[in-house]
Amino acid sequence: MDLSVNFTNIKFKNPIVTASGTFGFGREYAEYYDISKLGGICVKGLTAAPRLGNKPPRVAETPMGMLNSVGLQNPGVDAFIRDELPYLRKYDTVLIANISGNTIEEYAEMTQKLSDAGIDIIEVNVSCPNVKAGGMAFGTSPDSVAAVTGAVKQVAAVPIMIKLSPNVTDIAQIAKAAENAGADAISLINTLLGMKIDITTRKPVLNNNVGGLSGPAIFPVAVRMVWQAAAAVKIPVLAMGGVTTGNDAAEMMLAGADLIGVGTACFDDPYAPVKIIEQLAQYMRQNKIERACDITGKVEIN
Amino acid sequence: MANVYKCEITENTQLTGEVYSLVFSCEEIAASSYAGQFVHIKCGKERLLRRPISICSVFADCVRVVYEVKGEGTKWLSEQAAGQKLDILGPLGNGFSLPEGKIIIVGGGIGTPPMLYAAKTAHGSVTAILGFRDKSKIILQEEFEKTCDEVIITTDDGSAGIHGFVTQPLEDLLSKGGDNAVLSCGPQIMQDGIIKLCKKYNVPVQVSLEERMACGVGACLVCACEAFDMKRVCVDGPVFEVEMKLP
């Protein structure tokens, strides 16, 4: 049985990757298990300059999910390259940097720096719902997705993956725009824009009023969008959105995923990603699947 | 070390209206925790996020937490009986550093329980100032009296102890001098007042903060606090030391 996946000509030992923003820079969970067991690690979203993020409260629990409005708090791309990347490099796993820009120029500048620093893949976040400039503003029209993709591809020395927003009418059209502009892969879904109101105080629970919904609540939406996007493009797909078990991972792969991102599940159980790897292997054994990649896109549509 | 443990409840009893005392057995957490740390408790399969609750005390292989029922998660917790098992991640967080010599411990309302752990593990003499809204809300008074050299109770309405806020007796003590540190946990407005007084008398102060959390281990950044440069309450805190000017 072979769990490994070839994704943009990079070998992942298994299809499980931690989702950006849920795994810090790896240090926290490395205290619980060997993070080399992971197929890949996608680090906390980076910006050109350090950011303190939004005011608290930044989290609200919802039925089988949660809203967050962190707003890309991070030390900036330079501090990441200096202070975090050497630490992460000690682990035998694929490293993905997630970047968000206020402008197209910032996306290109960060891509250049991270390419030079030797990151394996760059995930271009055009889908953060929690920032005013950039973020989701770039990800909701095919033209601006193409513009960002084209600009980063010009300077990139490593594969470029565009992280798509689910807050769009036609995900297939956006996925195609990224592919046509030269993207090497796409990832989806980022969080769904949501809101929770305290009926006693009549105030939104999040200081930012709205935030990104994640967790099992969004899983069926993610499966549908992965299926639609994967069917529209030839480039590989990293799928995330509420994956909590190995069966969820298998379902995502059937929908068209090459790799699976695990995020919010870590908050409930720090061991979630490694458990999901084991459960996926068990599913493969039980169903006599030789290679993990054999089930990608193999949903039998009615 | 911090890890996920399946812990059997040995006791879960009501102290006052909405406040419960929960004891669970967990050798590892009991052995490795210290005052000011918390445990992250899963409150039923249908709720995604764990609930962070400060450790009140440890004894033998057991850990005690005292919590207030504030929402559905803590309501679920209050309904669990002895013998049932809880899924607990911990011990987590940066707790109190207990200095040598005389210290003052201040607790306000549901911020009082972690201060008992601090009082029990303190090295020198301890004066505790505990503030509550009214007499019916007083918790853990006897335990503090067994542990501390002096216990001062205040109530907002004067129904027990000193009529007023904890800051009044605190200023009386600080003005006499000789205290090496103030340690506190309670509502933000109370802690703001304590920090102001400690700055006035130049006494080091450590405050334990509360913030909504998700991961509890420092990865997700939802619990960042404005008072301390958006540091993470779960790992950089919950206890933060307030910088004082050098004497």
Side-chain angles (χ1 to χ4, degrees), chain B residues 82-156:
Chain B
Q84 284 176 290
K85 290 212 166 171
L86 291 173
D87 178 328
I88 298 180
L89 170 60
L92 299 174
N94 171 47
F96 292 106
S97 62
L98 295 161
E100 298 298 326
K102 260 180 84 181
I103 59 168
I104 302 171
I105 274 174
V106 189
I110 197 60
T112 306
M115 304 319 296
L116 183 61
Y117 198 176
K120 283 189 170 181
T121 47
H123 308 299
S125 85
V126 178
T127 301
I129 307 173
L130 311 175
F132 301 94
R133 208 170 304 147
D134 60 60
K135 193 179 177 182
S136 74
K137 300 283 193 301
I138 295 175
I139 49 170
L140 306 173
Q141 185 177 352
E142 273 181 35
E143 278 104 319
F144 273 98
E145 281 168 351
K146 269 185 228 161
T147 308
C148 303
D149 297 79
E150 189 187 358
V151 177
I152 300 166
I153 302 282
T154 71
T155 51
D156 298 358

Side-chain angles (χ1 to χ4, degrees), chain A residues 28 58 61 73 268 271, chain B residues 3 42 49-51 221:
Chain A
E28 291 79 14
R58 294 170 167 190
E61 193 176 47
Q73 179 173 358
D268 177 51
Y271 297 94
Chain B
N3 214 330
K42 186 155 178 69
L49 300 180
R50 293 167 180 271
R51 300 299 190 266
L221 307 184

Side-chain angles (χ1 to χ4, degrees), chain B:
Chain B
M1 66 160 257
N3 214 330
V4 180
Y5 300 103
K6 296 272 185 276
C7 311
E8 189 174 316
I9 300 173
T10 56
E11 186 191 305
N12 194 11
T13 52
Q14 195 173 23
L15 294 185
T16 65
E18 297 299 321
V19 179
Y20 288 74
S21 172
L22 171 84
V23 179
F24 58 88
S25 59
C26 183
E27 201 180 327
E28 294 86 351
I29 296 177
S32 61
S33 73
Y34 64 98
Q37 288 193 300
F38 67 96
V39 287
H40 217 19
I41 306 180
K42 186 155 178 69
C43 293
K45 282 201 173 84
E46 59 274 33
R47 269 167 290 276
L48 191 68
L49 300 180
R50 293 167 180 271
R51 300 299 190 266
I53 304 177
S54 285
I55 300 172
C56 173
S57 61
V58 300
F59 48 95
D61 294 346
C62 289
V63 180
R64 181 191 189 191
V65 294
V66 171
Y67 61 97
E68 186 176 22
V69 173
K70 282 187 180 170
E72 286 176 17
T74 42
K75 183 167 190 300
W76 178 91
L77 191 59
S78 73
E79 290 159 0
Q80 306 310 301
Q84 284 176 290
K85 290 212 166 171
L86 291 173
D87 178 328
I88 298 180
L89 170 60
L92 299 174
N94 171 47
F96 292 106
S97 62
L98 295 161
E100 298 298 326
K102 260 180 84 181
I103 59 168
I104 302 171
I105 274 174
V106 189
I110 197 60
T112 306
M115 304 319 296
L116 183 61
Y117 198 176
K120 283 189 170 181
T121 47
H123 308 299
S125 85
V126 178
T127 301
I129 307 173
L130 311 175
F132 301 94
R133 208 170 304 147
D134 60 60
K135 193 179 177 182
S136 74
K137 300 283 193 301
I138 295 175
I139 49 170
L140 306 173
Q141 185 177 352
E142 273 181 35
E143 278 104 319
F144 273 98
E145 281 168 351
K146 269 185 228 161
T147 308
C148 303
D149 297 79
E150 189 187 358
V151 177
I152 300 166
I153 302 282
T154 71
T155 51
D156 298 358
D157 68 352
S159 52
I162 297 171
H163 186 176
F165 301 124
V166 293
T167 39
Q168 297 163 14
L170 179 63
E171 178 147 29
D172 292 344
L173 289 175
L174 290 175
S175 63
K176 287 179 200 151
D179 295 297
N180 288 337
V182 173
L183 278 52
S184 101
C185 183
Q188 197 182 328
I189 187 160
M190 179 194 103
Q191 306 218 96
D192 288 347
I194 291 168
I195 291 170
K196 208 188 258 178
L197 281 178
C198 288
K199 283 186 170 166
K200 182 176 166 186
Y201 292 98
N202 202 25
V203 175
V205 55
Q206 297 171 41
V207 294
S208 179
L209 304 192
E210 186 177 25
E211 191 55 72
R212 289 164 184 270
M213 288 182 192
C215 74
V217 301
C220 74
L221 307 184
V222 304
C223 68
C225 63
E226 281 185 287
F228 292 91
D229 309 321
M230 301 310 265
K231 287 199 172 96
R232 301 160 295 180
V233 171
C234 67
V235 286
D236 302 315
V239 176
F240 291 92
E241 183 144 16
V242 181
E243 302 258 336
M244 288 292 146
K245 58 180 190 287
L246 292 169

Side-chain angles (χ1 to χ4, degrees), chain A residues 136-155:
Chain A
M136 202 167 79
F138 283 112
T140 45
S141 106
D143 290 346
S144 56
V145 167
V148 175
T149 308
V152 296
K153 275 300 287 181
Q154 274 195 348
V155 293

